[in-house]
Amino acid sequence: MKLDRGWVWCVLLLSLAVAAAVVAAQEKQPEVDVSDVDEDMGLDEEEMKVLMAEEEDEEEEEEATVMDEEHSDETHDTGAAGGKAESDANVSFQVTYKTPVPTGDVYFSETFDDGSLDRWQLSKTVKGDADDEIAKYDGKWTVEQLKENKVPGDQGLVLKSRAKHHAIAALLDKPFVFQDEPLVVQYEVNFQDGIDCGGAYIKLLSDTDDLTLEQFHDRTPYTIMFGPDKCGEDYKLHFIFRHVNPLNKDTEEKHAKRADVDLKKFYTDKKTHLYTLVLNPDNSYEMFIDQSSVSRGSLLHDVVPPVNPPKDIDDPNDSKPDDWDERAKIPDPEAVKPDDWDEDAPAKIEDPDALKPEGWLDDEAEDEEMDGEWEAPQIPNPACETAPGCGEWKRPMINNPQYKGKWKAPLVDNPNYQIMCTLHDSAKTLPRSLCDTHSLSSPKGVWKPRKIDNPDYFEDLQPFRMTPFKAVGLELWSMTSDIYFDNFIITSHKEVADRWASDSWGLKKLVASANEPGIFAQLMLAAEERPWLWVIYILTVGLPVGLTVLFCWPKKSDDYVYKKVDLPKADVEEEEEEEEEEEEEAAAADEEDKAAEATEGAPAAAADQEEEEEDDNNAEAGGDNLEGDDDEEEEEEEEEEEEEEEEEEESKAPERTLEDESNEGGDVTEESHKQAVRKRKVRKD
């Protein structure tokens, strides 16, 4: 069965439309990627009992349930718990939120759900290297809900001022000491108004005797700094730790390598994102955003500058010898300039083959120049509009075939070129030939000081064991306000942090996913930021529609259109068959005539003899008789020609019926019989 090509295209287009609809439906469904707690959390028996009891309580109470918006509206109308049942206009459904509780041993946790900052201390000092007008840490902090995608009952710490210094800190429940347990630091950030220039990182303040939170400023010693930072188009995720030199006790900042993914969307989508840092005792680290890894590495190899200094350094007392020749090539001293080398020849000469165009106006200027206090405006010379050119004609310039430029001697190897060769662990200046003979270091060309042992060299194989810290602080400058912080936790168990995130950030993600605009709205927003997307939209929509109209549009029916059709003509094969049948019939008629003549042959033979004798006797007088015979023969020839013409016309006829063919066959037999009779009559005569 053959299908119309148009229907095939229709099926393909319909399948593509169905696939696009399925993808759109999947994207519209809210997705929640919340990690559950592993069975093995590394907790002791008592902590596991507490955890299990809390889980049972949560299952019985079912505090984290999702209700339909209509149901929430009905409860609001009946007047039940007006403040707690308050719903946001932009939220398509409401959730009942319960303040998360740590499920294991933690060093610090903060949710801000009580609406107070009693645990936190605002800084009252000034920034040392800033102007007096902006040196104070007078930025405002408040505890409030999110502007969008609110979770009723959930609150966070919000930076409210722009273009001001902010500093706030809180003590840990107990200091964290880097020994044999990992460090997990996690908190949430939401740039509610985007971010122009500023950071949202935290500092883990070192455990020192002189630490005072009221005097917290930019130079307060810290052990780790972690979190997002952005200025201009540089999007960063900081992980900086301060390493203590074991020899001189100096501290130096070590910066981890940049994240492996593009971080821009986390700063611009106005959603709450979860930032997690994990440090392990084996000196490995890993950073997560929304529980997805964005960077990992080693404290020994993937930080700048490296933890351990190099063993060898340049000798600061070494200097380049006066006779050191760094030129690998020099002009050949034996080269001589050729005699025919003309250094004064110009690079361009006039074209000798150029001819001045006819009609060139040598005495006319393109622009009339006038002197005096008043100058008339300059206009094009009308005489030059029709002429090929005006002014003094000059030949065009072409490249000079004799030009060679200034002569320079070719370069050859410098016999005095020296390199640094390492011989018996000592740097010496040796000629190239000697270095090549002893297979020493490859030539460097440019002089470098020799290497010596680094007097400050040390090797620290445990950079994880950093300075203990006992407080967490936010010391920020931002050109954007309303930066939201929430749900800080510091622990030694990644599973505890994941469960904490599922009870807090997971609900925010659920609400944000449910309140996301549809596919059409997202496309419109993207087109507002990038107008060139309209071209893609038009092609994406117009191309399938055009193909559908082209291949699936019903064709015009031809049922009522009548066309005059020519009668069918006999085929060549049919004509040949008819000619063969006619020949066969003619042959059969001839055979019948011969048989008839044979039966009449006996009596006719005698008659013929008598006729021949009579003819011989009458031969002498045969004038009149011969003339009569000639006339009869001419008549017979004319009759035969007419019969042949009739046969040709009959063979050229386009169509014949069976009846016509039978009649024609009878006529042929009759005519052949008549011819035989005529012949006999002629013979008798």
Side-chain angles (χ1 to χ4, degrees):
M1 181 178 65
K2 296 183 179 179
L3 295 176
D4 189 1
R5 184 176 63 181
W7 286 106
V8 176
W9 279 102
C10 291
V11 173
L12 292 176
L13 293 173
L14 290 175
S15 62
L16 290 174
V18 172
V22 171
V23 172
Q26 291 179 354
E27 291 181 353
K28 291 181 180 180
Q29 295 178 355
E31 299 178 359
V32 180
D33 184 12
V34 181
S35 301
D36 294 330
V37 182
D38 296 338
E39 296 180 358
D40 186 8
M41 297 172 55
L43 305 178
D44 55 20
E45 185 176 356
E46 295 181 357
E47 292 173 346
M48 288 298 295
K49 290 181 180 179
V50 174
L51 174 61
M52 296 300 295
E54 290 178 354
E55 290 179 353
E56 292 177 358
D57 294 340
E58 290 177 1
E59 292 177 358
E60 293 175 357
E61 295 175 1
E62 295 182 354
E63 294 292 344
T65 58
V66 179
M67 299 183 296
D68 192 87
E69 183 180 7
E70 296 178 358
H71 183 267
S72 64
D73 292 339
E74 293 176 0
T75 57
H76 180 71
D77 294 337
T78 56
K84 295 182 179 180
E86 180 181 358
S87 61
D88 184 56
N90 298 326
V91 181
S92 60
F93 63 89
Q94 184 178 356
V95 297
T96 302
Y97 170 78
K98 178 184 177 182
T99 300
V101 177
T103 57
D105 186 19
V106 298
Y107 294 86
F108 180 81
S109 63
E110 179 62 81
T111 62
F112 303 101
D113 291 341
D114 57 0
S116 66
L117 292 174
D118 296 340
R119 186 177 184 180
W120 295 79
Q121 178 64 53
L122 295 174
S123 177
K124 299 180 180 179
T125 186
V126 295
K127 191 175 177 67
D129 56 352
D131 297 337
D132 295 337
E133 297 178 357
I134 60 174
K136 293 182 179 181
Y137 286 96
D138 55 355
K140 302 299 181 182
W141 298 89
T142 61
V143 176
E144 59 186 35
Q145 288 185 326
L146 286 167
K147 291 182 177 180
E148 299 178 358
N149 303 320
K150 298 178 182 178
V151 177
D154 181 32
Q155 299 186 84
L157 178 66
V158 180
L159 182 149
K160 298 298 293 182
S161 305
R162 63 181 303 272
K164 288 183 177 294
H165 291 287
H166 302 73
I168 191 171
L171 292 174
L172 273 59
D173 298 336
K174 56 183 177 180
F176 184 90
V177 181
F178 294 89
Q179 292 293 336
D180 299 328
E181 291 185 346
L183 170 64
V184 180
V185 180
Q186 182 173 278
Y187 68 106
E188 301 170 12
V189 176
N190 188 326
F191 297 103
Q192 301 183 92
D193 295 335
I195 183 70
D196 294 328
C197 183
Y201 44 81
I202 64 173
K203 291 182 178 181
L204 304 181
L205 305 181
S206 301
D207 185 5
T208 59
D209 297 335
D210 57 349
L211 177 61
T212 303
L213 299 185
E214 291 183 354
Q215 300 298 318
F216 174 42
H217 54 86
D218 60 325
R219 297 183 181 179
T220 300
Y222 68 89
T223 301
I224 291 175
M225 187 175 80
F226 169 67
D229 186 19
K230 185 254 183 182
C231 195
E233 291 300 320
D234 189 11
Y235 301 88
K236 297 179 180 179
L237 179 60
H238 286 301
F239 167 41
I240 305 172
F241 67 94
R242 290 163 61 91
H243 180 262
V244 179
N245 189 320
L247 297 180
N248 53 23
K249 303 304 179 181
D250 292 338
T251 58
E252 185 178 21
E253 292 183 352
K254 310 294 182 181
H255 296 251
K257 66 179 182 179
R258 298 180 69 92
D260 301 329
V261 299
D262 186 10
L263 303 176
K264 183 177 181 179
K265 63 179 181 179
F266 302 112
Y267 295 80
T268 57
D269 60 3
K270 299 181 181 180
K271 295 181 180 179
T272 303
H273 295 288
L274 185 69
Y275 294 87
T276 308
L277 170 66
V278 179
L279 289 179
N280 297 309
D282 62 355
N283 300 318
S284 64
Y285 71 87
E286 190 168 8
M287 291 183 282
F288 299 84
I289 299 180
D290 296 343
Q291 296 182 330
S292 298
S293 178
V294 297
S295 180
R296 64 177 64 185
S298 171
L299 300 178
L300 288 171
H301 307 103
D302 299 313
V303 296
V304 179
V307 171
N308 297 315
K311 291 184 178 181
D312 299 329
I313 62 173
D314 294 338
D315 185 1
N317 299 321
D318 191 14
S319 60
K320 183 175 71 173
D322 297 337
D323 59 348
W324 186 275
D325 193 350
E326 295 182 346
R327 298 176 301 167
K329 297 284 186 179
I330 62 172
D332 187 0
E334 299 180 356
V336 179
K337 183 176 69 174
D339 296 337
D340 59 348
W341 192 287
D342 187 3
E343 294 183 349
D344 298 331
K348 296 282 187 178
I349 61 173
E350 294 182 352
D351 186 2
D353 299 329
L355 298 176
K356 182 170 67 173
E358 296 181 359
W360 189 281
L361 304 178
D362 293 328
D363 299 333
E364 294 288 341
E366 294 185 359
D367 296 324
E368 183 179 359
E369 297 180 359
M370 298 181 65
D371 297 332
E373 296 181 359
W374 179 83
E375 294 183 357
Q378 300 293 315
I379 61 172
N381 190 341
C384 298
E385 293 180 357
T386 57
C390 291
E392 182 182 358
W393 181 82
K394 296 181 180 179
R395 296 179 183 273
M397 304 299 290
I398 61 173
N399 293 329
N400 185 0
Q402 304 298 327
Y403 175 75
K404 296 183 179 180
K406 189 175 180 180
W407 181 85
K408 295 181 180 179
L411 297 178
V412 296
D413 292 336
N414 184 1
N416 297 323
Y417 178 69
Q418 295 175 330
I419 58 173
M420 293 299 296
C421 299
T422 303
L423 182 62
H424 302 298
D425 297 333
S426 63
K428 295 183 178 180
T429 302
L430 300 175
R432 176 194 296 272
S433 60
L434 184 57
C435 291
D436 295 340
T437 303
H438 291 81
S439 301
L440 301 176
S441 62
S442 59
K444 302 295 183 182
V446 180
W447 179 89
K448 293 182 180 180
R450 61 175 175 264
K451 297 290 185 179
I452 61 174
D453 294 336
N454 186 0
D456 298 326
Y457 172 75
F458 64 86
E459 186 176 18
D460 183 4
L461 300 180
Q462 292 294 331
F464 170 76
R465 296 189 176 181
M466 308 175 191
T467 304
F469 61 90
K470 66 176 182 181
V472 58
L474 298 168
E475 190 270 320
L476 305 170
W477 162 273
S478 177
M479 295 300 296
T480 306
S481 60
D482 291 328
I483 301 177
Y484 179 91
F485 301 87
D486 198 6
N487 297 317
F488 292 86
I489 187 171
I490 299 175
T491 180
S492 295
H493 305 283
K494 181 68 163 58
E495 297 83 1
V496 175
D498 290 341
R499 180 55 183 269
W500 174 272
S502 66
D503 294 340
S504 55
W505 172 77
L507 293 179
K508 291 186 178 73
K509 183 177 180 182
L510 176 63
V511 173
S513 299
N515 293 336
E516 283 185 353
I519 297 298
F520 183 78
Q522 293 182 10
L523 293 177
M524 294 300 101
L525 292 175
E528 290 179 1
E529 297 178 359
R530 294 174 287 275
W532 54 267
L533 287 175
W534 285 110
V535 178
I536 298 177
Y537 295 166
I538 294 173
L539 293 177
T540 304
V541 176
L543 185 60
V545 172
L547 293 176
T548 303
V549 173
L550 179 62
F551 293 102
C552 300
W553 194 265
K555 297 181 179 179
K556 186 177 181 181
S557 178
D558 296 336
D559 295 341
Y560 301 100
V561 178
Y562 297 96
K563 182 179 179 180
K564 185 177 180 180
V565 182
D566 296 335
L567 295 175
K569 295 182 180 180
D571 296 336
V572 178
E573 296 180 356
E574 294 179 357
E575 293 179 358
E576 293 179 355
E577 291 178 357
E578 291 176 358
E579 291 178 358
E580 291 178 357
E581 291 177 357
E582 292 175 358
E583 292 177 357
E584 291 177 357
E585 291 176 357
D590 292 339
E591 291 178 357
E592 291 178 358
D593 293 339
K594 290 180 180 180
E597 290 177 357
T599 55
E600 296 176 356
D608 291 339
Q609 290 179 357
E610 292 178 356
E611 289 177 358
E612 289 178 357
E613 291 177 357
E614 290 178 358
D615 292 334
D616 293 335
N617 294 327
N618 296 328
E620 294 178 357
D624 296 332
N625 293 333
L626 291 173
E627 292 178 358
D629 294 338
D630 293 337
D631 294 335
E632 291 178 356
E633 291 177 358
E634 290 177 359
E635 291 176 358
E636 291 176 356
E637 291 177 358
E638 291 177 358
E639 291 177 356
E640 291 177 357
E641 290 176 358
E642 291 177 357
E643 292 174 356
E644 291 177 357
E645 291 177 355
E646 291 176 357
E647 291 177 358
E648 291 177 358
E649 292 176 356
E650 291 173 356
S651 63
K652 293 180 180 179
E655 296 180 353
R656 292 182 180 180
T657 60
L658 295 175
E659 294 179 358
D660 294 339
E661 291 178 355
S662 62
N663 293 333
E664 289 176 0
D667 294 339
V668 171
T669 53
E670 291 177 0
E671 290 178 358
S672 61
H673 182 69
K674 290 179 180 180
Q675 288 180 357
V677 173
R678 288 193 189 99
K679 289 180 180 180
R680 285 195 297 271
K681 289 181 179 181
V682 170
R683 290 175 181 175
K684 290 179 180 180
D685 295 337

